[in-house]
Amino acid sequence: RYLLEQDFPGMRIGPEPTTDSFIAVMYGETEGNVPGNALVVDPKKPFRKLSRFGNAFLNRFMCSQLPNEVLKSISIIDSPGILSGEKQRISRGYDFCQVLQWFAERVDRIILLFDAHKLDISDEFSEAIKSFRGQDDKIRVVLNKADQVDTQQLMRVYGALMWSLGKVIDTPEVLRVYIGSFWAHPLRNTDNRRLFEAEAQDLFKDIQSLPQKAAVRKLNDLIKRARLAKVHAYIISYLKKEMPSVFGKENKKKELINKLPEIYIQLQREYHISAGDFPEVKKMQEQLENCDFTKFHSLKPKLIETVDNMLANKIASLMNLIRQEENNMPTEMVHGGAFDGTMAGPFGHGYGEGAKEGADEEEWVVAKDKPAYDEIFYTLSPINGKISGISAKKEMVTSKLPNSVLGKIWKLADCDGDGMLDDEEFALAKHLIKIKLDGYELPGTLPSHLVPPSHRKPFQTAE
C-alpha cells in the first residue's frame, strides 16, 4: 500500500488478523481481481504449477490487477498475516511453508516485515523463514512502525530483532534491516526522522535495481538448478545400482535411506562435488520413503557431459549477451507511487545537506563561517595572499581525516590548481572538511554553488 500509494482490490489493513490470502498484485488496464482457480489455468500468468496445492490453497489465492505505474516494472506477492499457535497453523488447510517455498524460489526479493512496537517471531513465522533456506541472498528485513518507539527503545528492539533472526536464519552474514515508518501518516516520534528517510531511500534503491538484475537472476537460478539436477542424478543412479535384483529389496531400501549421509560423502569424493550442492539429508530421506528404487534410472554420462559443457561454455556466452543487451537498452527503473515522492523538489533525500547545502542560495554558503576560517588562515603566514601546501597540510591534518580524504579535499579546494590556497580556497577546504566530519559524502566534482566567488568566472570559462 505504501509503495503503490493506492488501495488494491482485496486489500485490508488493520491491527487485528486480516487477510488469510495470498494476493498477487499485478499491472492491469482495468482494476479488478481474478480468483485462484481461474488464475492457475491462465496461460499468460506464471501460476499454473500452484494447482498442485489444491482447492484449500486456491480458495485463498487471488490476483489483484490495477493500472499503477509501479506495477509496470514489478509485481508484488502479498502473503497472509502470520499466525501464532498450533490450532491456527493447522486450520489453514494447505501446506503454508511449501507455498512460501514455491514463491521464494521464483521471486527476486523477499521482504520480512516486523513491527517495532510488538516484536515477535512466532512458531509459524520461524517455520516460514526456514522455508526460505537457500534463498538467503534475496531476503531483506523491514522494521516498520519505528516511529512508535523512542530512540533508546528502538535500539533495544533492533538488537532483539537481530538476536532472534540469528537463531532462525542460519547464515554467517548479517541480514540487511531497513528501519522506518512505511505509511503516509505523520510520524509519532520525529527524533529519528533523518534515519528513517535514509533507510527508505536505501530500500527504494534496492527495489528499483530489481528489473535490471532480473535476467542475471534467472540465469543464476538456471545454473543452480543444473547443479542440483546433476547431483540428484548421481544420488538416484547410486541407489539404483545398489539395489538387489530379486530378494531383500525393502530391507536394502531402508539400509540405503539410513546410510544416506555416508552416500553423500562417498559421492562428494568420487565426483568432486561441493557439500553445499546436496539436498538436505532429512528431507531427502522423507522423500525416498515413498519411492520404488528399482524404477530409478541408471546414470547417463552423456547427459552429465552436456550439463558440464553448458555450465563451462554456454553460460559464459549467455552472460555476454545479457551484458550487451543491458548496454544497448536504457536503464530500467521502477517509477510511480512512493518511488517518485522523494526524487524531485526540496524533499529529496539529502537535499540542502552536506555538499548540497546552499545550492538554492545566492550568497556563497561558506561565507557565513569565513571570518572564523580567516583567523586560522592568517596564523599560517600567507605570502602574497596565499599559503603553501605545507602550511595548509599542518592545519588540515588536525581534522584527523585520512590522507586519501584530505587529498580529495585539496583537489576540490585548489580551484586554480596552482598548488597554493588563497583565503577563499582555504575557507572552502575547511568547509569540505566540516562536511566530511558531519558524516556526509564529498562530491566527485565541485558543485557550482561551492566555487569561491573570486574563482567563478575563470572556472566556468575553463569548463
Side-chain angles (χ1 to χ4, degrees):
R1 172 66 184 79
Y2 175 74
L3 295 176
L4 301 181
E5 290 189 341
Q6 76 175 94
D7 292 354
F8 54 87
M11 183 194 87
R12 255 188 79 212
I13 297 171
E16 78 284 3
T18 49
T19 50
D20 185 27
S21 299
F22 278 87
I23 304 174
V25 188
M26 304 177 85
Y27 184 82
E29 294 298 330
T30 54
E31 198 169 306
N33 52 40
V34 183
N37 281 292
L39 199 56
V40 293
V41 293
D42 185 347
K44 291 179 183 174
K45 296 278 190 290
F47 303 120
R48 301 187 81 165
K49 295 278 176 72
L50 282 168
S51 56
R52 69 184 169 97
F53 294 107
N55 270 332
F57 165 70
L58 295 177
N59 290 336
R60 292 198 176 99
F61 179 47
M62 61 183 276
C63 175
S64 223
Q65 293 185 318
L66 64 157
N68 186 290
E69 192 71 23
V70 174
L71 299 173
K72 284 183 178 177
S73 310
I74 55 170
S75 295
I76 303 164
I77 307 295
D78 180 24
S79 64
I82 295 293
L83 303 170
S84 300
E86 189 68 24
K87 192 182 171 198
Q88 290 98 320
R89 189 151 79 250
I90 293 165
S91 70
R92 284 199 194 270
Y94 61 90
D95 194 328
F96 181 60
C97 290
Q98 283 285 310
V99 175
L100 284 178
Q101 194 174 349
W102 189 91
F103 279 116
E105 285 169 0
R106 289 156 179 82
V107 297
D108 292 283
R109 186 65 75 239
I110 300 163
I111 298 177
L112 304 177
L113 284 158
F114 293 89
D115 285 356
H117 69 300
K118 49 175 185 185
L119 187 64
D120 175 40
I121 301 185
S122 65
D123 294 346
E124 190 180 44
F125 205 175
S126 296
E127 289 301 314
I129 295 169
K130 282 173 186 168
S131 68
F132 300 141
R133 195 158 283 156
Q135 314 293 336
D136 304 326
D137 56 320
K138 296 179 182 178
I139 297 175
R140 301 288 183 272
V141 177
V142 168
L143 185 58
N144 197 14
K145 303 179 187 175
D147 64 321
Q148 301 199 10
V149 294
D150 62 33
T151 307
Q152 189 179 15
Q153 288 169 326
L154 183 59
M155 187 181 73
R156 295 186 195 285
V157 167
Y158 178 79
L161 174 64
M162 297 307 285
W163 183 79
S164 303
L165 285 172
K167 295 204 302 185
V168 181
I169 299 176
D170 190 19
T171 170
E173 296 108 19
V174 176
L175 281 175
R176 178 66 169 96
V177 178
Y178 299 96
I179 303 167
S181 178
F182 295 93
W183 69 339
H185 296 266
L187 299 175
R188 303 251 179 107
N189 191 326
T190 56
D191 294 352
N192 299 305
R193 184 188 184 111
R194 269 186 59 192
L195 168 71
F196 298 161
E197 284 171 3
E199 292 285 283
Q201 280 305 308
D202 286 354
L203 178 62
F204 288 166
K205 278 178 194 164
D206 188 61
I207 295 171
Q208 282 182 311
S209 68
L210 294 179
Q212 267 179 286
K213 296 173 183 170
V216 176
R217 199 266 308 162
K218 283 172 187 165
L219 191 61
N220 187 51
D221 283 355
L222 174 69
I223 298 163
K224 204 189 284 185
R225 283 180 71 83
R227 288 166 71 105
L228 291 174
K230 199 171 118 180
V231 172
H232 197 73
Y234 286 136
I235 297 166
I236 296 303
S237 60
Y238 181 90
L239 296 174
K240 160 86 172 175
K241 191 175 72 180
E242 292 295 308
M243 285 300 281
S245 51
V246 188
F247 302 111
K249 289 180 183 177
E250 271 308 305
N251 289 337
K252 188 65 179 174
K253 177 182 166 178
K254 283 177 187 171
E255 186 194 322
L256 287 169
I257 289 172
N258 290 333
K259 275 176 63 184
L260 199 61
E262 294 161 42
I263 293 168
Y264 277 13
I265 293 164
Q266 194 177 328
L267 292 172
Q268 277 176 49
R269 287 187 192 136
E270 193 176 337
Y271 297 106
H272 309 291
I273 309 165
S274 164
D277 286 350
F278 283 84
E280 204 183 324
V281 174
K282 200 176 176 186
K283 196 176 174 186
M284 192 67 174
Q285 285 171 328
E286 285 169 14
Q287 298 271 345
L288 289 171
E289 291 282 354
N290 308 315
C291 298
D292 181 356
F293 289 12
T294 56
K295 289 183 180 173
F296 286 167
H297 292 282
S298 300
L299 191 69
K300 294 176 182 168
K302 204 164 187 184
L303 285 177
I304 297 288
E305 205 178 298
T306 307
V307 173
D308 286 338
N309 179 42
M310 181 200 76
L311 291 171
N313 306 313
K314 303 273 175 70
I315 293 294
S317 57
L318 269 175
M319 200 69 205
N320 285 333
L321 283 172
I322 289 170
R323 283 202 192 100
Q324 282 170 23
E325 201 172 277
E326 280 177 356
N327 292 337
N328 296 336
M329 287 171 71
T331 305
E332 200 178 340
M333 295 284 272
V334 181
H335 291 288
F339 295 98
D340 287 350
T342 53
M343 284 182 186
F347 298 100
H349 176 59
Y351 192 93
E353 298 172 3
K356 294 173 188 171
E357 187 191 350
D360 293 344
E361 296 167 23
E362 282 188 29
E363 194 185 351
W364 189 39
V365 70
V366 185
K368 62 179 188 293
D369 295 316
K370 191 169 180 290
Y373 298 148
D374 282 350
E375 281 182 32
I376 302 166
F377 179 77
Y378 289 110
T379 62
L380 300 171
S381 314
I383 299 164
N384 299 328
K386 293 194 174 193
I387 57 167
S388 66
I390 295 168
S391 302
K393 182 183 175 181
K394 281 178 190 168
E395 173 56 32
M396 288 168 76
V397 294
T398 60
S399 66
K400 297 182 182 175
L401 287 169
N403 281 356
S404 56
V405 176
L406 291 175
K408 190 176 180 185
I409 289 170
W410 175 271
K411 205 180 281 185
L412 291 169
D414 186 12
C415 297
D416 50 16
D418 64 351
M420 302 178 88
L421 300 182
D422 62 24
D423 61 326
E424 285 186 347
E425 289 173 324
F426 178 76
L428 174 60
K430 291 292 282 181
H431 180 72
L432 292 169
I433 286 170
K434 183 174 175 288
I435 286 170
K436 192 66 187 169
L437 292 176
D438 286 346
Y440 298 102
E441 287 303 312
L442 292 170
T445 54
L446 195 66
S448 56
H449 70 276
L450 284 182
V451 178
S454 63
H455 290 266
R456 280 184 187 179
K457 274 188 181 171
F459 189 79
Q460 284 164 353
T461 317
E463 208 177 65

